[in-house]
Amino acid sequence: MYNLKGKTAVITGSGKQGAIGEAIAIKLAGEGCNIVISDIGVTKGEQFSEEHVGTTEEMDTIVAKIKKLGVNAVGISCDVRIEKQVMQLIKKSKEAFGTVDILINNAGIGYIMESFTEFKEESWDAVLDVNLKGAFLCSKHAALQMIEQGNGGCIVNIASQAAKSGFPFAAAYTASKHGMIGLTRSNAVELGAYKIRVNAVCPNHITTGLGHWQNKFFSDKMGLDYDKYLQSIVDKNPLKRTGLVEDIAKAVAFLASDQADYITGEAMNVTGGEEYH
């Protein structure tokens, strides 16, 4: 359907089972893509604990799962904050499969939440460095590879409803995702001459993985029972359900495909109608 067979997709932040990155990888693998699973690989202090990062062992598990779908896959560790590691990610991906055709900037921190007046500088730096600087570095080096190949390409940035609206306790996250939309639009204008399309997907609340941690955080802050908080999310959604990782994966597959070959610079809401601007 999407004419993605044989293309190579690099997906950052895809090393956690049950999370958005893995769902995107499985969906693109099902469309015939070669898959590069990438995550930080190792824990790095409290801000990058095992609860929140994809370890090398977990990446290997996801790679094995994807290979069972009959496509090629590799795992490559990368800290997206460090340009040399990003350069190696793109180089190794090209060496593994010959091309880099699709980049999904999914690596992100959505688990550092503090009130604005208590938000620590190191927390701000961690969120902006991963969410925005990481997307910049990965886009830069993937674009250079795509330009060298001469066949165009596709970059999809996983933004958020927080790229459109503000949320309490999430000043850094919201700022980073608003910035990601600016990066998307600027890159779409500049890279269009090379037939590289750049779009963003803006999910609302996904309740699995990281979303479970966020549910607990916000229900505690609001003084609500966990289940009542979840119901409040459903109640305000026109489609009366929470988002699924598969919802995001389907949107990414469309934007990565020839079906979207005249779409660039867009920030697509995937929110069940909750966000509409």
Side-chain angles (χ1 to χ4, degrees), residues 159-167 170 173-175 177-178 202-204 275:
S160 169
Q161 185 180 12
K164 306 285 186 79
S165 299
F167 291 89
Y173 184 78
T174 301
K177 294 302 185 178
H178 273 67
C202 300
N204 64 341
E275 192 72 43

Side-chain angles (χ1 to χ4, degrees), residues 35-161:
I35 299 296
V36 177
I37 294 295
S38 184
D39 215 301
I40 194 169
V42 295
T43 59
K44 292 188 176 183
E46 185 178 348
Q47 291 181 330
F48 300 92
S49 64
E50 188 168 351
E51 178 184 4
H52 296 298
V53 306
T55 62
T56 301
E57 182 178 359
E58 196 166 8
M59 288 166 57
D60 289 343
T61 299
I62 294 172
V63 167
K65 184 187 299 186
I66 290 170
K67 285 183 175 180
K68 288 181 180 179
L69 298 175
V71 298
N72 294 318
V74 295
I76 302 174
S77 296
C78 176
D79 186 334
V80 298
R81 302 171 298 170
I82 302 171
E83 187 163 20
K84 287 183 179 180
Q85 290 195 27
V86 171
M87 293 170 69
Q88 284 298 305
L89 169 63
I90 300 303
K91 180 183 177 185
K92 289 178 181 178
S93 299
K94 193 260 184 182
E95 289 173 349
F97 300 121
T99 61
V100 173
D101 307 294
I102 300 163
L103 169 69
I104 313 299
N105 281 312
N106 177 68
I109 290 180
Y111 51 84
I112 297 180
M113 302 283 184
E114 302 169 6
S115 67
F116 178 67
T117 54
E118 297 175 357
F119 213 98
K120 295 183 284 295
E121 182 179 3
E122 56 267 30
S123 297
W124 178 275
D125 289 345
V127 174
L128 269 291
D129 279 356
V130 173
N131 294 9
L132 191 52
K133 180 183 176 183
F136 151 64
L137 290 174
C138 291
S139 296
K140 172 185 172 181
H141 290 286
L144 285 168
Q145 178 60 40
M146 292 172 186
I147 291 168
E148 181 180 321
Q149 291 165 190
N151 297 315
C154 175
I155 298 172
V156 180
N157 296 319
I158 306 303
S160 169
Q161 185 180 12

Side-chain angles (χ1 to χ4, degrees), residues 181-259:
I181 299 305
L183 181 69
T184 298
R185 291 169 175 162
S186 293
N187 286 355
V189 171
E190 189 167 350
L191 297 175
Y194 303 101
K195 297 183 180 180
I196 299 171
R197 297 181 298 104
V198 188
N199 292 290
V201 172
C202 300
N204 64 341
H205 191 61
I206 307 297
T207 57
T208 56
L210 171 61
H212 175 71
W213 182 94
Q214 292 173 336
N215 293 339
K216 184 67 169 60
F217 177 88
F218 283 109
S219 61
D220 288 347
K221 288 291 184 181
M222 297 170 68
L224 291 175
D225 174 80
Y226 184 92
D227 290 335
K228 287 182 178 178
Y229 174 72
L230 277 182
Q231 188 60 48
S232 74
I233 294 175
V234 172
D235 289 343
K236 68 181 179 180
N237 189 290
L239 293 183
K240 301 304 178 188
R241 71 169 175 86
T242 56
L244 305 173
V245 293
E246 291 80 10
D247 295 322
I248 313 310
K250 287 184 283 188
V252 169
F254 166 70
L255 289 173
S257 76
D258 290 348
Q259 298 293 312

